[in-house]
């Protein structure tokens, strides 16, 4: 999970991720700009933002973009985990 506990949940054979980066209950252009601001950054880069690293690979790349694009315009499937 991410530092705020809301990013992903690992279940039996499925990884769930949240593409609603600003938690406004929409996956829209605001979320796209979160992703684009970090695009190409790796975990060592100051532009890196772990909440947009949807595949948890340590780099914001096209894999993350395609995961995001699949959720764009849809109701977010986000699970908040409180610790």
């Amino acid at each position: 999970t991410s530092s705020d506990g809301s990013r992903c949940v690992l279940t039996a054979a499925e990884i769930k991720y949240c593409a609603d980066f600003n938690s406004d209950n929409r996956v829209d252009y605001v979320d796209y700009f979160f992703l684009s601001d970090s695009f190409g950054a790796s975990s060592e880069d100051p532009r890196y933002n772990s909440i947009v690293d949807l595949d948890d690979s340590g780099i914001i790349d096209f894999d993350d973009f395609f995961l995001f694009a699949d959720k764009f315009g849809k109701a977010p499937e986000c699970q908040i985990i409180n610790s």
Side-chain angles (χ1 to χ4, degrees):
T1 61
S2 66
S3 61
D4 69 356
S6 65
R7 191 165 153 290
C8 72
V9 174
L10 181 62
T11 60
E14 179 178 346
I15 296 176
K16 294 194 181 236
Y17 57 90
C18 184
D20 179 17
F21 306 131
N22 66 334
S23 300
D24 67 352
N25 209 29
R26 293 182 295 211
V27 180
D28 56 14
Y29 282 105
V30 175
D31 303 298
Y32 168 77
F33 291 123
F34 271 84
L35 183 98
S36 66
D37 286 346
S38 295
F39 194 82
S42 65
S43 57
E44 297 83 27
D45 190 319
R47 294 181 309 113
Y48 179 79
N49 184 344
S50 64
I51 67 167
V52 300
D53 187 5
L54 297 176
D55 64 357
D56 230 8
S57 66
I59 188 165
I60 313 302
D61 57 13
F62 279 109
D63 292 336
D64 302 298
F65 174 77
F66 291 130
L67 289 170
F68 173 79
D70 187 50
K71 302 295 183 183
F72 189 83
K74 299 176 184 172
E77 299 170 0
C78 302
Q79 212 171 18
I80 306 297
I81 301 169
N82 295 317
S83 50

